[in-house]
Amino acid sequence: MSFFPDITERLARARADLRMGVPVVLDGGAVLLAVETLDAARLAHLRALGGAPVLAVTGRRAETLKARAYDGDIARIVLPDDATLYWVRSVADPADDLRVPMKGPLQTARDGVADLHRAAIALCKAARLLPAALVLTVDNATGFARTHNLTLIPAAAVVDTALSPLQPIISARVPLEVSEAGRLHVFRPDDGAEEHYAVEIGRPDRSAPVLSRLHSACFTGDLLGSLKCDCGPQLRGALRQMGNEGAGVLLYLNQEGRGIGLANKMRAYSLQDQGFDTVEANHRLGFEDDERDFRIGAEILKQMGFSSVRLLTNNPAKVALMEQSGINVVERVPLKVGENTHNHAYLATKAAKSGHLL
C-alpha cells in the first residue's frame, strides 16, 4: 500500500491544475498550459525556457482560422515572437472572430509528436476548458516536472477512451410530484469527474424492459426554464410518463452542453446570437457536434440490474450507442415536447445535422 497517487488520481490532479492555470508535463517530452487559463506571467516564463512553443488547436477550430491541420484532427500553430496574451487567447476563443476575422496569416508546423498535442487538447476538454493548449517540447520531462513541482502524466493515459469505473455511493427515497415512489441513486466515477444520477420511479421489474431516458444535465433548460432548447420539457415529460406508467429510470448525466460544460455552452450560445447554428457554434469553439459519453448511462443501468430498455428519445444515435454498450433497446419511445418560437431553428438543426427524429 502506498500514498503515491495512481494514474487516475494524477489525471484528476492534472485537470484541476489546468483549470487553475498551472502547467502540466507529459512524459513524452512536453509541458502544456491551457490557453483559457493562461496568464501573461506564465506565457513569459514559457518563452524564457527557450525552444519553439506551438498553440495546439483542434481541426474544427483550425477550419475557422483557415489554418492548415496537417494531422487532420489537430493543428500546431507556431507562436509568433511578438504574440501577446490577447493574441493567443483570440486564436483559441472565437468570441471576437467576427470583429477581428483575420488572426494571421497563421503558420502551422508539420513537425512534432502529434500524440502529445492530441493529449494536450484532450486534457483541456476533460477539464471543461476551451480545447486549445500552448505546448513546448522539453528534453527531460521527469526532471522538468520535478524541478518545477508539476504534475507528470503519460500522454497515452490522457487519450485512453476506457470508461472510468462508476461506484454506487448512496440511494435514498425522494417523493416526487410525478410519483411518491421516487428514489435517487448517486454514482461517482473513479477518475474524480462529475457524479451522475439515476432517478428510479416505482419498483421496475429487472427482468423486463424498463422505460428509460438518458438525460444530459441542462442548467438553463432544466432549472431556469430556458426557451432556447427542449431539455426542460423533455426532462419533465419523461418523468411524467414514468409516473403515469408507475415505473421507469431516468439517467441524469452531468454532461452539460453535449459534454462541453456550461461555460463553453454559453460561449456557443453567444455564437448562436451571431447567426451560427448549434453545430456550427460547437465547431467554431473547437468541439465536435457531440462530446458526450453515453456508455455512462449504460453502465449505470447494468449496475442497477437492467439489461433492456424502452428508450425515451428522439435521437437514433442514443439507441445505437446503448446497443453497442450492451443494453438491448426493445423500443424507441418518442418524446416530442417543448418546441417554441425561440428553439424552432435549434430543433430543425438537430433534425437536419444530428439525425434527431422530430
Side-chain angles (χ1 to χ4, degrees):
M1 188 68 179
S2 171
F3 283 124
F4 285 100
D6 63 21
I7 183 57
T8 299
E9 294 160 338
R10 283 158 57 202
L11 282 168
R13 181 181 293 177
R15 293 196 300 270
D17 285 349
L18 288 186
R19 289 179 65 84
M20 293 185 294
V22 178
V24 170
V25 181
L26 300 174
D27 70 356
V31 57
L32 70 102
L33 284 149
V35 172
E36 181 176 338
T37 53
L38 180 68
D39 61 30
R42 284 202 163 108
L43 174 59
H45 189 64
L46 185 73
R47 279 207 170 101
L49 294 173
V54 297
L55 175 50
V57 299
T58 67
R60 293 294 192 187
R61 180 64 183 148
E63 289 175 14
T64 295
L65 297 168
K66 304 296 187 290
R68 182 69 65 87
Y70 288 108
D71 294 288
D73 60 332
I74 60 170
R76 291 181 285 261
I77 298 171
V78 177
L79 195 66
D81 292 337
D82 60 350
T84 63
L85 177 62
Y86 171 79
W87 184 91
V88 174
R89 286 183 174 170
S90 68
V91 170
D93 187 343
D96 71 341
D97 277 358
L98 296 186
R99 184 172 64 84
V100 188
M102 294 302 295
K103 312 294 184 186
L106 300 174
Q107 179 186 352
T108 54
R110 291 177 180 269
D111 301 326
V113 182
D115 287 345
L116 293 180
H117 299 92
R118 202 168 278 122
I121 291 171
L123 195 57
C124 289
K125 283 186 177 183
R128 297 292 188 262
L129 300 171
L130 284 168
L134 269 182
V135 183
L136 176 67
T137 301
V138 293
D139 291 331
N140 180 358
T142 301
F144 186 92
R146 185 180 298 115
T147 298
H148 296 276
N149 196 23
L150 300 175
T151 302
L152 174 71
I153 52 175
V158 178
V159 295
D160 185 356
T161 58
L163 185 67
S164 178
L166 287 161
Q167 305 300 332
I169 302 302
I170 189 65
S171 68
R173 186 177 66 87
V174 182
L176 304 173
E177 288 184 358
V178 299
S179 171
E180 293 186 5
R183 194 168 193 85
L184 181 65
H185 303 256
V186 178
F187 292 82
R188 182 179 298 155
D190 284 354
D191 65 2
E194 298 94 338
E195 294 171 346
H196 305 283
Y197 318 120
V199 182
E200 184 175 10
I201 302 297
R203 296 182 178 275
D205 184 354
R206 265 59 175 173
S207 65
V210 62
L211 182 64
S212 182
R213 171 161 175 78
L214 293 169
H215 189 89
S216 298
C218 178
F219 172 78
T220 51
D222 298 342
L223 186 63
L224 302 182
S226 168
L227 300 176
K228 282 183 67 71
C229 63
D230 56 344
C231 300
Q234 285 193 324
L235 171 64
R236 289 178 282 278
L239 288 173
R240 185 166 53 249
Q241 188 162 340
M242 292 173 189
N244 291 339
E245 294 195 12
V249 175
L250 184 137
L251 290 310
Y252 197 88
L253 309 181
N254 273 309
Q255 302 189 113
E256 181 84 41
R258 297 199 203 105
I260 67 176
L262 182 58
N264 287 319
K265 179 173 128 177
M266 290 301 98
R267 289 187 172 106
Y269 275 16
S270 179
L271 291 171
Q272 290 170 34
D273 288 341
Q274 297 176 28
F276 301 102
D277 67 34
T278 180
V279 172
E280 292 166 344
N282 268 29
H283 290 178
R284 292 187 77 87
L285 287 166
F287 294 103
E288 295 301 318
D289 304 22
D290 196 332
E291 298 271 353
R292 291 174 292 183
D293 190 345
F294 291 117
R295 295 177 300 173
I296 297 168
E299 178 60 25
I300 291 175
L301 284 170
K302 291 175 188 176
Q303 290 201 31
M304 293 179 67
F306 298 103
S307 59
S308 61
V309 297
R310 296 164 53 226
L311 193 63
L312 276 159
T313 185
N314 302 322
N315 186 358
K318 283 186 180 180
V319 176
L321 289 167
M322 290 291 274
E323 293 276 4
Q324 292 171 17
S325 300
I327 296 293
N328 181 32
V329 181
V330 301
E331 179 187 3
R332 184 189 70 83
V333 182
L335 188 60
K336 299 179 181 180
V337 293
E339 183 171 356
N340 61 67
T341 56
H342 295 275
N343 65 23
H344 177 75
Y346 163 79
L347 295 178
T349 299
K350 287 210 298 186
K353 295 188 175 182
S354 303
H356 288 227
L357 301 175
L358 299 172

